[in-house]
Amino acid sequence: MAFDWVVALVFAAMSVSAALVALALMPGVAFPGGRASGRAGNRELVFLFEGEHLVDATPEARRFLAAGPAGLSDWQRLCARVLPRFPCFSQRMANLPHDGSTHLTEASGDGQLSANWLGGVTRLCLRLPEPAAAEGVPDAQSLSAMTAELSTLRDVVEAMPTPAWQQDDHGAVSWANSAYLDLARAQQGEDRPLGWPLPALLAPPPGDEAERHRVVLHIGTEERWFDCASVATGGTRFHFALPADGAVRAETALRNFVQTLSKTFAELPIGLAVFNRARELVLFNPAISDLFNLEPEFLTGRPTLVAVLDRLRETRMMPEPKDYRSWREQIVRLERDAADGVYSDTWTLPNGQVYRVTGRPHPDGAVAFLFEDISAEMSLTRRFRGEIETGQAVIDSLSEAIAVFSSGGIMTMSNAAYSELWGEDPRLVMGTLDIAAATAQWQENAMPEETGTALEMSRHIRQRKPWSGTLVHADGRRLVCRLCPIGAGAVLAGFRPEHLDRAGDDAASRATG
C-alpha cells in the first residue's frame, strides 16, 4: 500500500512539473517580478534554460536559435543573437539568480526581453515586432528569394577556410564564422568549452587602427601568422584573416639572406657601390669608404653617381682628367659601358695606388661598380717584369746562342745570339715554337750532311739527357753544341762557334798556367 502511495506522488509531481513547463512556455504568461505580454503585434519567443542547456523552447524560439553561429552551445548561440540588441544582456543574466527577474528594452523600443529565475531554471521571453505589411516590404516571392540568398551567404561564410568575425564598438566579438571558432578552440585547448563573448584572437596591436595589419597567434609551441583586413560599417567592424605563414617564412629567409650578404660585403676588401635607375647610391660596403676616404655621412645621403665621381676628382682619388669636358665625357662613357656590362678600367691615382674598376648591370636599370686595390699586385708584376727583363738582358749579352725548352717541349726562352745565328727571333713566336719546329730550323740553316746531328739533338732534348757535339752551319762555321738539363724538367740548348770555344779554352789555360 505504501508503494502505491509513493508511485501516486511521483506521478503527481511529474504532472505538476509538466504543467509548469507548459505554463512557462505559454506566451503572454506573467511571472512574479516580470511583465505581461508586450504590445499587440509583437511575436513572443520563450526559452527555458538550465545553466547553458536548453530545456525547452517554443517552435519559433528554436528557429530563432538555429540561426545563431554553429558549433556553440545553445546559451552561447542565444547570446550571439541577442547581444547586438541588448548590450547589457550578459551582465543582467549574471545577476539574475540574485535579482529574480529582469527586463530589457531595445534602444529603438521595438524589442523587449524579460527573464525570470525559477529555482535554477531561467525563463526568457523575447518579444520582437511582427513584420508589417507596409509600403516597401517585399512580397512573398521576393522574400523567398532573399531568404534563399541569405541562406547561401551563410553557407558560404561558414564554409570559408579563413577566419572572419565582427566586433562591436567596445571591441567585443559579436559574431564569428566556423574557421574563427576552430581557431579559438585550438588556441585555448579542445578540452575547454568556448565562452561568450568569444576571445578577440587577432586584434590589432594597441594604438594600431590600420585597416591592414599582421598578427601572430601562439597555439601551443607553434606560431601562426595572419594578415588581417578590417572594414568599418554601421558602427561595427568586420575583420578577415588570411594565413601568412608562408609569407613570413619567405620574408624571414630573405631578411637572413640580405643580412648574410651584408656581412659578406662588409668583410670584402673589394669596394662595392650599387646605383639605382636614377643613379643614386643605394648600397655600399665599408671598403668604399676605406679605399676612397669618403665619409659615411656622405655615402648614406644617397649621392648620385656624378656627385660621387666629382668628390673623387676633388680629393684626387681617381685619374686626373685633362679638362672638364673630357671629364664629363668620361662619366658618360663609364655609365653607358657599365649599363652594357662592358666597363673595365685601371685607375692609376696620383698617389701611386692602382685600382681595378669594373661596372656590371643589375635588374631594373641599376648599375654596380667594383673597386679593387691592385697596387701590390701591380708592384709585384712590375718587379717580376723587371727581373725578367734583367735576366733577358744578361743572356742577350752572352756570345753563346741559347734556347730553353720546357718539359712540354716548347721553347720558352732564347737570346739575341740565337736569333742572329738561326735567322729568326723565337721571342716573336714565344710559346708556340716546339722541338720539331726548332729542329727543322736547325736543319734548314745547317749543311745537308748535318741533318743527323740535328735529329740527334732533338732526340736527346725529348729524353732530357745531357749531350755535346758539333754541327756545321750553312755559312761554314763549325758550331760546338751542348744540351744541359736544368730545373723543372727544362733543357738548355747552346750553340757556340768553334773558334770562340777554342779561344775561351786557351784563355782558361793561360789563367791556370
Side-chain angles (χ1 to χ4, degrees), residues 288-303:
I288 286 289
S289 179
D290 298 337
L291 290 173
F292 295 105
N293 298 323
L294 295 174
E295 303 84 358
E297 295 78 11
F298 171 73
L299 295 174
T300 55
R302 296 172 67 96

Side-chain angles (χ1 to χ4, degrees), residues 233-311:
T233 174
T236 60
R237 296 184 70 86
F238 289 96
H239 304 270
F240 307 90
L242 291 174
D245 298 315
V248 170
R249 284 194 296 267
E251 292 171 1
T252 302
L254 178 61
R255 184 166 55 252
N256 294 338
F257 178 69
V258 171
Q259 290 177 353
T260 301
L261 286 182
S262 300
K263 292 178 181 178
T264 303
F265 291 154
E267 297 174 358
L268 281 178
I270 300 176
L272 171 68
V274 179
F275 296 85
N276 61 13
R277 181 188 294 270
R279 296 301 177 260
E280 297 173 333
L281 183 63
V282 294
L283 179 64
F284 64 93
N285 66 343
I288 286 289
S289 179
D290 298 337
L291 290 173
F292 295 105
N293 298 323
L294 295 174
E295 303 84 358
E297 295 78 11
F298 171 73
L299 295 174
T300 55
R302 296 172 67 96
T304 62
L305 175 61
V306 175
V308 172
L309 295 177
D310 278 338
R311 176 66 67 89

Side-chain angles (χ1 to χ4, degrees), residues 165-178:
W165 68 102
Q166 182 184 12
Q167 290 179 239
D168 57 23
D169 293 337
H170 304 289
V173 177
S174 56
W175 170 87
N177 68 347
S178 296

Side-chain angles (χ1 to χ4, degrees), residues 392 395-396 402-406 410-415 418 424-434:
Q392 185 65 46
I395 65 172
D396 282 344
I402 292 175
V404 178
F405 295 89
S406 68
I410 303 299
M411 184 181 294
T412 57
M413 184 180 294
S414 65
N415 63 351
Y418 184 94
E424 184 177 354
D425 190 354
R427 286 173 293 182
L428 300 179
V429 290
M430 193 68 69
T432 61
L433 192 67
D434 57 7

Side-chain angles (χ1 to χ4, degrees), residues 106-142:
E106 194 174 359
S108 62
D110 295 332
Q112 297 179 5
L113 187 147
S114 60
N116 297 88
W117 179 256
L118 305 176
V121 176
T122 302
R123 180 184 186 273
L124 295 171
C125 182
L126 177 62
R127 301 178 182 89
L128 300 176
E130 290 283 0
E135 184 180 356
V137 176
D139 56 25
Q141 185 176 1
S142 300

